[in-house]
Amino acid sequence: MENYGISRRTFIKGGAILAASGVFAALAGCTADGSGAAASSGSTKDSSQGEPITMVWLPDNSAADLTAAREAVGAAITAACGRPATLMTTTDYNVAIEAIASGNAQMAFLGPEGYVQANRKNAAVQAAFTNSDDKGGLEGACYYSRICVREEDAELYKDGAGYSIAGLKGKSFSFVSATSTSGFKIPSSAIMDEFGLESSDVLLESGAFFSEVLFGNSHAGSCVNLMNGDVDAAAFDDVDVDMYLDLVEGEKNTVGAIYKVKDDAEAPLDSVRGKRFTIIGITPVLNSPFCFNEDALSEDDRTKIVEYFCSDAVAQNKSIFVDPDNADAKGIFKKESDATCFVEVDDAWYEPIRMLGA
């Protein structure tokens, strides 16, 4: 199985309110406990068993400590259709989006907003399956977008017995990437709603709404920006950072919960071990899709891959769905219950995310 990384520079050189109608309905089960299609760059459907299938990953899933998890997914692709898998890691969200939209990659694991953007670039990019909720379905298939501040600053954002994001204006802030769902799209929508803003553009420019705007380029990176003291507040999700954290006060994924960076946290949070943050805002987000460029991968191969990934063989694969109680297990997906598995989705399931930019 071939692994290789790609940055924005080498890729170019070589070749965004939850009150919107329908959004709450799609997320109702998530509790705390296409136009302008682009050409496919000459890619064609290739069912040749000897040709590799390129699978592209976002920066958050490109970390070295997730190599085994990525390779397990690659092995499952091969088991499904008999073709080798080439695993493309990235350091830039836009690189991953462009790779699948152009057909340079036939598969991708993207955030919901990244998927919507790739589909907008090329309608041939279609969602195929995602990880289920703990009942094996889609009703609660979500993760969480957080707005956080350092624990010692949390009093500045108190609102009665709780917390509010109303104190964010004029502060410095870190997003993940302008193409991140939980690291930009969802938190920016919450901020726009709170302050009556008409566009998220003002949130991207230092000195416009925030005194300074930084980008972590990954969820862990945004968390580091906060813990280092480079910004006053930051947005990042739970699934990409909780492996580095311990919950020390409150309930998981609730406003007011306090998390501490583990004393033995690995890079990139090794530099901020022991530091703590408080959640002051949180929103559920639809689980991320595995998607295909249907112009670059045959229907036969797509069908085989979906059927295999949604099978019990993959659901019980401990390298793909890791034990959440095993602190040493490094994985992208957690086996929250015996029922946890992959389930089929389609483009329509991500319409609430698309509506955030309407």
Side-chain angles (χ1 to χ4, degrees), residues 295-353:
D295 281 346
L297 192 63
S298 72
E299 182 178 1
D300 182 56
D301 283 335
R302 299 196 312 268
T303 299
K304 289 177 180 177
I305 291 169
V306 172
E307 289 180 351
Y308 187 74
F309 271 80
C310 295
S311 71
D312 189 60
V314 169
Q316 301 306 321
N317 187 323
K318 294 183 179 180
S319 294
I320 295 178
F321 286 103
V322 301
D323 181 355
D325 296 324
N326 183 355
D328 295 326
K330 305 299 182 183
I332 298 167
F333 307 99
K334 291 182 171 61
K335 190 71 170 175
E336 301 292 355
S337 74
D338 288 341
T340 304
C341 60
F342 287 122
V343 290
E344 290 189 57
V345 291
D346 57 19
D347 178 76
W349 201 65
Y350 292 97
E351 188 63 19
I353 303 298

Side-chain angles (χ1 to χ4, degrees), residues 253-277:
N253 283 323
T254 59
V255 170
I258 300 173
Y259 287 80
K260 184 188 81 168
V261 179
K262 291 179 177 180
D263 294 333
D264 60 351
E266 298 181 357
L269 273 77
D270 55 331
S271 63
V272 291
R273 291 172 177 169
K275 296 191 176 183
R276 297 153 69 120
F277 67 80

Side-chain angles (χ1 to χ4, degrees), residues 229-300:
D230 295 331
V231 293
D232 299 311
F236 45 87
D237 68 20
D238 60 328
V239 296
D240 292 303
V241 299
D242 277 7
M243 66 187 77
Y244 305 102
L245 308 174
D246 288 323
L247 175 66
V248 295
E249 188 174 318
E251 295 184 15
K252 177 182 177 181
N253 283 323
T254 59
V255 170
I258 300 173
Y259 287 80
K260 184 188 81 168
V261 179
K262 291 179 177 180
D263 294 333
D264 60 351
E266 298 181 357
L269 273 77
D270 55 331
S271 63
V272 291
R273 291 172 177 169
K275 296 191 176 183
R276 297 153 69 120
F277 67 80
T278 301
I279 299 174
I280 65 168
I282 193 162
T283 307
V285 187
L286 298 174
N287 276 354
S288 300
F290 281 84
C291 50
F292 299 121
N293 183 317
E294 295 188 348
D295 281 346
L297 192 63
S298 72
E299 182 178 1
D300 182 56

Side-chain angles (χ1 to χ4, degrees), residues 1-6 50-57 67 70-75 77-78 83-89 104 106:
M1 185 184 305
E2 183 178 358
N3 292 268
Y4 69 96
I6 186 167
E51 291 295 322
I53 293 174
T54 297
M55 168 88 195
V56 65
W57 301 89
T67 298
R70 291 192 302 271
E71 289 182 345
V73 169
I77 292 171
T78 301
R83 296 174 61 177
T86 296
L87 306 177
M88 179 194 296
T89 58
N104 286 325
Q106 292 83 43

